[in-house]
Amino acid sequence: MNIKRSIVTRVRVAFLAICLFAFAIIYKVGYIQLKDGDRWREIANEKRFHYQPVYATRGNIYSNDDRIMATSLPFYRVAFDPTISPDDVFAKGIDSLAIQLSRFYGDRSPEYYRQKIKNARSAKRKYVRLNSRLINYQDKKMMSRWPIFRAGKNRGGVIFEKLDRRFLPFGSLAKRTIGFINEDRKGAGLEFSFNRHLAGKDGEALFERMAGGNKPINDGTEVKPMPGFDIQTTIDINLQDVAESALRRALTENDAHHGCVILMEVSTGEIKAIANLGKHGEGVYLEDYNYAVGNQGRTEPGSTFKLASMMALLEETDLQLTDTVDTGVGSERIGGAVKTDTHGYGKITLQQVFEKSSNVGVAKLIQQTFENNPQKYVDYLHKFGLHQPLGFQMNGEAIPYIKSPKDRSWSRPSLSTMSIGYELKISPLQTLAFYNAVANNGVKVQPIIVKSIKRADQVLEKFEAKVLNPKICSDETLKQLKLMMEGVVENGTAKNLRSKDYKVAGKTGTARKVINGQYTRKYSTSFVGYFPADRPKYSCIVIIDNPQRGAQYGGDVAAPVFRELADKAYAQDLAIHAPMARRPAGVQPKLPVLHAGSQEELTVLCNKLGISAHPLSPEEDWVRVDTQKHSVALKPVPVKMGQVPDVKDMTLKDALYLLGNHGLKVRAIGLGRVESQSLPPGQPVAKGTIITITLNRNGATRTPASGTPANAIARVH
C-alpha cells in the first residue's frame, strides 16, 4: 500500500508541476500580448520591412564595328498577391488563370495552381511565387493579358520581379575574352577587368519580408539604379570567327593540349582577334583560359626568341647577313652544353642560320659575342622591353622572366641556352608585341583591346596604344631582321606560307616542354610574323601546345592557322592589296559586245556600264546595236503586226516573246543568239504559222545538252 500511495503522490506532484508550467506560459503570452505587445509589434515591423539593393543593368560590350558581343537581357520571376483582386474579378478569372499557368509552365495541373492561389488568398498571404522559372519580356507581355493579371498591378496583384541575365549573341565566340564576373565580384576577361565601367551604380528600394520571398513596396523612397557604361573593343567579329575555327581545327587534327591565336594591327596595336582553346575531352576544345595573356601561357618560347638574339647580335657587332658560321654536323658543345640541329648544315650564312632555325648557329654566335660579358646580352633584352609586362588592359597579364647573371640559377650554359629561347619565360602576347615592333619600323606599341568607353553614342573615354619604346634598334638592324624573316617564308622552315597575293615575314618555333623539372619529348609549336611583308598591316602569333599526332614543328602545325587567318584578313582589307597596273597610254577600253533586243533593256544596261547609247528612234521598242568607237547607236527594228519580225542577233527570250506575240509557233535549234530564221522579215504571215530559228553561240551552232530536245516548239500566250 505504501508503494501505491507513493506512486499516486508522485503523479499528483508531476501533474501540479505541469499545470503550474502551463499557467506560467499562458501568463507570459498574455503579458507579451497585452503589456509588451506594442513594443514587439514595432520590432516586428522594423524587421519586416527593409531596404535592399536594386542592381543596375550592366553595360554592353561591342565589337569594333558596333556589333553586340555581350549584353544584359531582362528576365522576370512571376509572383502574385492574391489578396488584392476584388471577389468578382478573382472568382471569374481563377479557373482560366490556373489553366494558363499550367499550360505555360507545363509542370503542374490547373488544379494545383488554382488551389495554391486560393489557399494563399484564404490565408491572406500577400506574396506567392507562382514558379521559380524565369520568363522573358515577351512572356511578360503575354501574361499581362491573362485573366486577373490583366486588371493591373493594383487590382490584379501580379508581380514581375526583374532580373538581368548576361547574353552573348555570338555564342561561345571570344567567350574567354569577354569573360565573366560572379556574385563575389571575382572573374576574368573584359567583364572583370572593366567591371568598374560596366557595372553601373546600384539603386535601393523598400521590400517586405514575406513567406516565399520579398515583396517590393513602391512607396516613393526607392533610389533608381544607374546603368553601366558600354565598352567598345577592337575585336573584328569576322576575323575572330576565322581565328577560332582555324585554331580548333588545328588542335583537333593534332590532338593538342591547348592553343591560342592573336591578330594585331601593326601601327595601332589594336587586337583584331584573340582565341584561346583548351582540351576538355576527345576532340572537344573550349575557351577555358586566356593562354595568350596569362601565366599558364607564359612558357619558354623556343626558336621564336631567336629574333631577339639576332637583334642583340646585329646591334653589338658589324656582322652582315652574308657572313658565315660553321654549324658543323648539327651537334656541338657550346658554353658547356650540347646544342643540336635537325640536320648538319656545315658552314652557312647568318641569313641561313635564321631561315633554317639553327640552334648551333645562333648559340655559337651569341656565345662568341657575349661570353665575356653575358650581362650585356641581358641588357639588350631589357632594352627591347622583354623583361617587363606590357600593361595590357585586361587583368592577369603574366610577368616575363628573363634570367640574369646575378640570379642564383645562372650557370655557364645559360647564355647559349637563353639565346635559343630556353631558361626564360614570356607570354604569346609579349612575343607578338616584340615582332610587331620590327614590323612597325622599330616602334614598340602597347597592344590594346578596348578603344572606348561609351554611353549610347557619346564617347566618354578613348584609349590609344601607348608607345613603349620609340626605337628598339637601329634602322640597319631592322632592315636585316626583316630580310631574315622574309627568308624564313621564302626559303626556310615556313615555305608553306608563301602566297602569290602577298608576302609574309616571320619565324617558326618548336620548344621542348619541361615536366617535373625535366625536358621531355613534348613540344610547344608556334609561328609569329606579319603581313604583307613589304607594307605590314597585321602581326599574328599562333601557339599549338603538345601536338600528339606526329607533327611537331611550327611550320607544320602552327603556320597553317596563321595562313588561314592571314588570307581572310587580306581578303577583307582592300587597303593592303597591291595596286592594279595602269592601262598603257593610248589603249582604249573595249566596248562590250551588244547585239539586238529591247531598246529599254539595252539602254538601262548601257547606263549601268557607263556606255554612251544613242537611240536613233526613241519611240521604237526593238533595236539593233551599232557599236562605234566610244559609244553605241541603237537602230530601230521595224515591227508590224501581220508581218514576220526581224529577230536576228536577239536572245532566245526576246525572239520567243516577239514572234509569239505575232501568233507564230517557234521551233528553236541550237544555243546562243538567233543566227537565222526560216521566214524572212517583213513577209505576211498568218497566226499559227511555224517558224524555225537557228541559234549560234561564239560563231558556231551547238547541239543542246543531253536531255534537252534539239528542236522545241514554243509559243508565248
Side-chain angles (χ1 to χ4, degrees):
M1 292 294 292
N2 290 334
I3 295 175
K4 181 178 179 181
R5 189 179 297 115
S6 177
I7 293 173
V8 171
T9 302
R10 291 177 182 177
V11 170
R12 287 174 178 172
V13 171
F15 177 75
L16 182 61
I18 292 172
C19 289
L20 290 174
F21 184 72
F23 280 122
I25 292 175
I26 293 171
Y27 173 78
K28 190 64 176 177
V29 170
Y31 183 86
I32 291 173
Q33 289 284 348
L34 299 175
K35 183 73 174 175
D36 290 341
D38 292 340
R39 183 170 69 89
W40 286 111
R41 274 189 287 271
E42 184 178 346
I43 293 173
N45 284 332
E46 289 177 359
K47 298 292 184 181
R48 181 179 172 189
F49 296 95
H50 68 288
Y51 283 93
Q52 69 181 47
V54 178
Y55 296 112
T57 299
R58 287 181 72 80
N60 298 329
I61 298 177
Y62 290 95
S63 67
N64 69 327
D65 59 352
D66 292 322
R67 285 191 274 183
I68 295 178
M69 298 176 67
T71 188
S72 292
L73 295 182
F75 287 86
Y76 302 87
R77 185 181 288 122
V78 184
F80 186 42
D81 183 350
T83 65
I84 287 182
S85 358
D87 290 340
D88 57 337
V89 174
F90 186 84
K92 184 179 179 181
I94 182 60
D95 291 335
S96 298
L97 177 61
I99 292 172
Q100 293 279 31
L101 289 168
S102 177
R103 287 177 179 173
F104 180 80
Y105 289 114
D107 59 343
R108 302 282 186 170
S109 66
E111 179 60 23
Y112 167 84
Y113 282 104
R114 188 177 72 85
Q115 201 60 45
K116 180 177 182 177
I117 295 171
K118 290 187 72 175
N119 291 342
R121 184 178 174 89
S122 299
K124 299 188 181 304
R125 289 176 56 192
K126 293 181 175 294
Y127 182 90
V128 180
R129 187 172 291 171
L130 297 177
N131 199 291
S132 59
R133 196 177 101 194
L134 299 180
I135 65 171
N136 60 31
Y137 180 72
Q138 296 301 323
D139 294 333
K140 173 180 177 288
K141 287 178 62 177
M142 176 186 68
M143 283 186 168
S144 299
R145 298 191 292 267
W146 286 1
I148 302 181
F149 288 1
R150 71 169 68 102
K153 183 177 181 180
N154 295 329
R155 285 174 55 85
V158 64
I159 302 169
F160 293 110
E161 299 174 348
K162 182 173 176 289
L163 299 167
D164 286 333
R165 290 293 181 267
R166 213 59 172 156
F167 175 68
L168 308 180
F170 292 98
S172 62
L173 197 69
K175 188 174 182 179
R176 184 65 191 193
T177 302
I178 294 170
F180 66 93
I181 187 165
N182 57 26
E183 295 178 355
D184 298 327
R185 292 294 186 260
K186 295 180 180 179
L190 295 172
E191 293 277 17
F192 178 68
S193 303
F194 285 83
N195 183 57
R196 179 171 62 90
H197 301 87
L198 292 167
K201 186 176 181 181
D202 295 339
E204 190 178 61
L206 184 64
F207 284 78
E208 181 180 3
R209 284 193 178 94
M210 310 192 72
N214 296 330
K215 178 183 177 182
I217 305 298
N218 299 314
D219 62 347
T221 63
E222 58 269 10
V223 177
K224 292 185 178 181
M226 295 179 60
F229 299 129
D230 301 329
I231 65 173
Q232 184 172 32
T233 71
T234 61
I235 297 294
D236 184 306
I237 288 296
N238 296 325
L239 296 177
Q240 180 71 29
D241 187 27
V242 175
E244 289 191 19
S245 299
L247 179 61
R248 180 174 281 105
R249 191 179 307 112
L251 292 170
T252 303
E253 290 174 355
N254 293 281
D255 192 23
H257 180 266
H258 70 261
C260 66
V261 178
I262 315 171
L263 179 72
M264 184 166 72
E265 271 193 356
V266 169
S267 60
T268 66
E270 293 186 0
I271 292 177
K272 295 303 178 183
I274 178 170
N276 297 275
L277 294 173
K279 190 174 185 180
H280 283 257
E282 190 62 33
V284 178
Y285 290 90
L286 304 175
E287 289 230 5
D288 60 347
Y289 185 81
N290 196 338
Y291 299 100
V293 178
N295 283 317
Q296 290 187 34
R298 187 191 72 159
T299 59
E300 294 176 311
S303 294
T304 56
F305 197 78
K306 290 173 182 174
L307 182 70
S309 295
M310 297 302 286
M311 183 182 289
L313 180 72
L314 295 172
E315 286 286 275
E316 179 65 17
T317 69
D318 295 326
L319 289 172
Q320 299 298 313
L321 299 186
T322 54
D323 292 332
T324 60
V325 58
D326 189 0
T327 63
V329 295
S331 178
E332 187 171 338
R333 179 173 291 275
I334 303 170
V338 175
K339 301 296 184 291
T340 59
D341 291 332
T342 56
H343 299 86
Y345 301 118
K347 184 176 285 189
I348 55 177
T349 65
L350 266 67
Q351 175 81 24
Q352 291 172 320
V353 165
F354 197 79
E355 291 176 354
K356 299 178 183 297
S357 195
S358 171
N359 292 329
V360 174
V362 173
K364 197 169 185 178
L365 289 165
I366 294 298
Q367 186 71 23
Q368 291 172 353
T369 305
F370 297 101
E371 183 175 14
N372 295 327
N373 188 3
Q375 182 62 48
K376 195 166 189 179
Y377 171 74
V378 175
D379 289 342
Y380 272 114
L381 301 184
H382 285 206
K383 177 188 174 184
F384 306 153
L386 294 170
H387 67 300
Q388 57 190 8
L390 301 166
F392 191 50
Q393 292 171 309
M394 288 171 61
N395 288 46
E397 182 189 357
I399 298 176
Y401 169 63
I402 302 295
K403 184 179 286 190
S404 167
K406 300 175 184 178
D407 295 347
R408 293 181 61 184
S409 60
W410 184 273
S411 61
R412 186 184 170 206
S414 292
L415 176 62
S416 60
T417 303
M418 286 177 62
S419 71
I420 58 174
Y422 292 93
E423 292 193 28
L424 53 89
K425 290 185 178 181
I426 189 171
S427 73
L429 182 63
Q430 291 153 358
T431 298
L432 178 62
F434 176 66
Y435 274 74
N436 190 82
V438 176
N440 199 27
N441 293 320
V443 181
K444 188 175 182 180
V445 296
Q446 178 188 56
I448 63 169
I449 196 168
V450 173
K451 58 183 180 181
S452 64
I453 307 294
K454 304 192 302 181
R455 182 181 292 282
D457 293 331
Q458 181 185 3
V459 176
L460 305 177
E461 188 174 359
K462 195 171 183 179
F463 302 101
E464 292 183 354
K466 298 177 183 177
V467 175
L468 301 177
N469 189 334
K471 202 69 173 177
I472 59 173
C473 64
S474 67
D475 289 336
E476 181 60 28
T477 296
L478 283 173
K479 181 181 177 181
Q480 292 176 297
L481 293 174
K482 290 179 179 180
L483 289 174
M484 285 194 295
M485 285 194 284
E486 291 176 27
V488 170
V489 177
E490 294 300 317
N491 310 302
T493 55
K495 291 180 182 178
N496 55 340
L497 280 179
R498 284 186 295 190
S499 170
K500 61 181 179 61
D501 298 316
Y502 59 93
K503 293 180 68 176
V504 176
K507 182 71 183 73
T508 56
T510 304
R512 294 176 64 179
K513 294 177 65 64
V514 175
I515 299 178
N516 297 325
Q518 298 292 326
Y519 284 102
T520 65
R521 290 294 177 182
K522 295 182 178 180
Y523 299 89
S524 176
T525 65
S526 57
F527 183 86
V528 56
Y530 55 87
F531 62 95
D534 50 348
R535 50 189 186 285
K537 178 65 181 291
Y538 298 102
S539 60
C540 179
I541 187 171
V542 180
I543 307 287
I544 305 291
D545 186 82
N546 194 20
Q548 298 286 318
R549 294 180 178 162
Q552 63 186 36
Y553 297 111
D556 300 324
V557 181
V561 179
F562 182 102
R563 174 63 185 273
E564 187 171 344
L565 183 55
D567 283 347
K568 175 63 178 179
Y570 182 82
Q572 78 171 34
D573 193 341
L574 298 181
I576 62 176
H577 287 202
M580 296 180 64
R582 293 186 60 185
R583 184 184 298 114
V587 177
Q588 297 296 330
K590 291 184 178 180
L591 293 173
V593 178
L594 303 173
H595 295 277
S598 165
Q599 178 164 225
E600 181 181 1
E601 292 179 358
L602 290 173
T603 301
V604 171
L605 178 61
C606 289
N607 290 339
K608 290 286 185 183
L609 296 175
I611 299 170
S612 177
H614 305 288
L616 302 183
S617 298
E619 68 281 357
E620 292 291 343
D621 293 329
W622 300 91
V623 294
R624 178 165 283 107
V625 177
D626 179 18
T627 302
Q628 301 174 353
K629 187 174 183 180
H630 301 292
S631 62
V632 296
L634 304 179
K635 297 182 177 180
V637 175
V639 176
K640 295 182 179 180
M641 294 303 297
Q643 295 182 2
V644 176
D646 183 0
V647 296
K648 187 178 180 182
D649 295 328
M650 291 186 183
T651 63
L652 179 61
K653 181 193 75 170
D654 287 341
L656 289 176
Y657 179 83
L658 192 54
L659 296 172
N661 280 348
H662 282 68
L664 300 171
K665 291 184 177 180
V666 182
R667 177 182 289 115
I669 301 174
L671 297 171
R673 292 181 175 271
V674 178
E675 185 179 52
S676 62
Q677 56 190 73
S678 61
L679 300 178
Q683 174 181 312
V685 67
K687 288 187 177 181
T689 302
I690 297 177
I691 182 172
T692 301
I693 58 175
T694 303
L695 296 96
N696 191 326
R697 176 183 288 173
N698 297 329
T701 302
R702 295 175 56 180
T703 304
S706 175
T708 304
N711 299 322
I713 296 179
R715 182 172 182 176
V716 178
H717 297 281

